Amino acid sequence: MTRRIRIGGAQMGAISRSDSKKEIVDRLIALLRQAGEKGCELVVFPELALSTFFPRWYAERDGMDGYFEDGMPNAATLPLFEEARRLGIGFSLGYAELVREDGRVRRFNTTVLVERNGEIVGKYRKIHLPGHAEYEPERSHQHLEKRYFEVGNTGFQVWDAFGGRVGMAICNDRRWVETYRVMGLQDVELILIGYNTPVADSLSGESETLRMFHNHLTMQAGAYQNSTWVVGVAKAGVEDGHRLMGGSVIVAPTGEIVAQAMTEGDELIVADCDLDRCRYYKSHIFNFAAHRRPEFYQRITSQTGVE
């Protein structure tokens, strides 16, 4: 008997500054209903799915608080949770989280995992924050995640959900091998990743083709080297004059792409993911207990930069 789950990757098109929260949630619900019509049990939404990618603008550190959510679900997102519960579909949702912890206001780039009964069963806060904290005039556009978010404090956890072992990551996390390995060492079988990634890097001059290649390469390698399914879902299209890449994918434990978005708009990709496909590599070529040699890996955790 296989552990097969039908997963929908709910890519979103652009969200502008002028879009209301209701308009955005209505789009999420429309994608959720499409997923229900296709028999999906789990839907993956992008990073910052409730707002435009506001870190492209420079302001005071609390100047973007209007884009943050101070609870989940809240009045604006409750209709999404209720519809998901009615349909019996779980989902992951990325958003900007404002919370009071340790006696102060804290801001994180967050994703929650919601089971089919509408209950939140997991929360991840982004760890690998890209970009910079201060205005850099040489850039054609800013990338100020280090200004508006703290480094996440959840670690890379794995939850028992949807009949398997599920982990989460956000955008730039997908580029770091440690992201996948820490979850791989917890026997992860499904990693959900939302991203908002500019088509152009204002400093590197890399081509669109190369940037999309890197987008897929990192997720395919992470899937294969840890024998896990990976679902990477974009918010894409032109947001307030800035274009984000699409390329949402569902990747098998073999590293093969089994579903891929073809547009930069709202689009649902679907795949039947057999979690038992993770077993072969986990028990052979990537049998960690048999083959890893952590006594030679100490440099990975003992230093940050090159020495």
Side-chain angles (χ1 to χ4, degrees), residues 7-307:
I7 299 175
Q11 178 174 291
M12 295 184 70
I15 296 174
S16 74
R17 298 179 83 166
S18 61
D19 290 342
S20 70
K21 192 66 61 68
K22 183 181 184 306
E23 290 173 324
I24 298 167
V25 172
D26 284 348
R27 286 170 59 187
L28 295 174
I29 291 173
L31 285 163
L32 192 73
R33 288 173 176 162
Q34 286 182 41
E37 292 170 357
K38 294 183 180 295
C40 294
E41 302 166 76
L42 171 61
V43 172
V44 182
F45 291 115
E47 174 190 28
L48 297 177
L50 298 172
S51 69
T52 191
F53 186 75
F54 60 85
R56 65 171 64 96
W57 296 303
Y58 180 84
E60 295 301 318
R61 280 191 162 80
D62 61 358
M64 296 296 179
D65 281 1
Y67 292 111
F68 283 74
E69 312 298 323
D70 59 6
M72 189 61 62
N74 53 34
T77 59
L78 186 58
L80 174 65
F81 280 73
E82 291 177 336
E83 185 66 4
R85 185 185 302 112
R86 186 186 73 81
L87 294 170
I89 301 175
F91 63 91
S92 64
L93 178 71
Y95 63 98
E97 178 191 21
L98 188 150
V99 63
R100 181 167 290 278
E101 288 182 351
D102 303 324
R104 62 188 178 93
V105 173
R106 309 186 71 179
R107 299 168 180 84
F108 298 103
N109 189 338
T110 297
T111 294
V112 289
L113 180 64
V114 182
E115 256 286 10
R116 287 160 283 200
N117 61 1
E119 297 298 318
I120 293 175
V121 296
K123 176 184 285 189
Y124 169 73
R125 291 166 170 167
K126 187 174 181 178
I127 290 172
H128 295 106
L129 296 177
H132 45 103
E134 301 300 332
Y135 185 80
E136 297 185 356
E138 67 274 19
R139 293 178 178 268
S140 62
H141 57 272
Q142 304 297 303
H143 197 140
L144 293 159
E145 287 193 59
K146 290 184 185 294
R147 184 172 186 83
Y148 301 123
F149 299 118
E150 293 184 46
V151 172
N153 59 0
T154 56
F156 292 108
Q157 300 180 56
V158 172
W159 294 270
D160 290 318
F162 300 94
R165 300 278 289 163
V166 184
M168 296 184 288
I170 300 174
C171 198
N172 190 46
D173 289 324
R174 76 193 188 278
R175 303 186 188 279
W176 296 86
V177 295
E178 296 86 350
T179 297
Y180 303 93
R181 183 63 90 227
V182 171
M183 289 188 275
L185 287 166
Q186 300 171 74
D187 200 25
V188 74
E189 297 171 311
L190 173 62
I191 298 177
L192 314 179
I193 304 173
Y195 60 93
N196 287 197
T197 301
V199 165
D201 182 328
S202 60
L203 297 183
S204 75
E206 293 175 337
S207 69
E208 289 185 26
T209 301
L210 180 59
R211 286 175 65 77
M212 185 63 78
F213 169 72
H214 290 159
N215 174 42
H216 291 156
L217 172 68
T218 55
M219 292 187 283
Q220 291 178 263
Y224 169 62
Q225 292 172 342
N226 295 277
S227 194
T228 181
W229 290 89
V230 172
V231 183
V233 178
K235 174 146 61 65
V238 180
E239 281 196 345
D240 299 307
H242 299 268
R243 186 166 158 234
L244 301 175
M245 69 167 60
S248 300
V249 287
I250 299 175
V251 184
T254 57
E256 297 167 289
I257 292 174
V258 297
Q260 181 173 339
M262 294 292 106
T263 72
E264 292 183 354
D266 290 11
E267 181 181 350
L268 184 74
I269 59 174
V270 176
D272 289 319
C273 301
D274 181 357
L275 300 182
D276 287 329
R277 287 188 66 188
C278 301
R279 291 297 103 203
Y280 178 75
Y281 290 149
K282 285 181 184 291
S283 61
H284 291 85
I285 189 169
F286 294 120
N287 182 330
F288 293 160
H291 306 309
R292 289 187 79 246
R293 293 292 175 261
E295 65 269 26
F296 297 108
Y297 309 155
Q298 300 305 307
R299 190 177 291 272
I300 291 175
T301 56
S302 65
Q303 70 187 63
T304 305
V306 174
E307 294 181 7

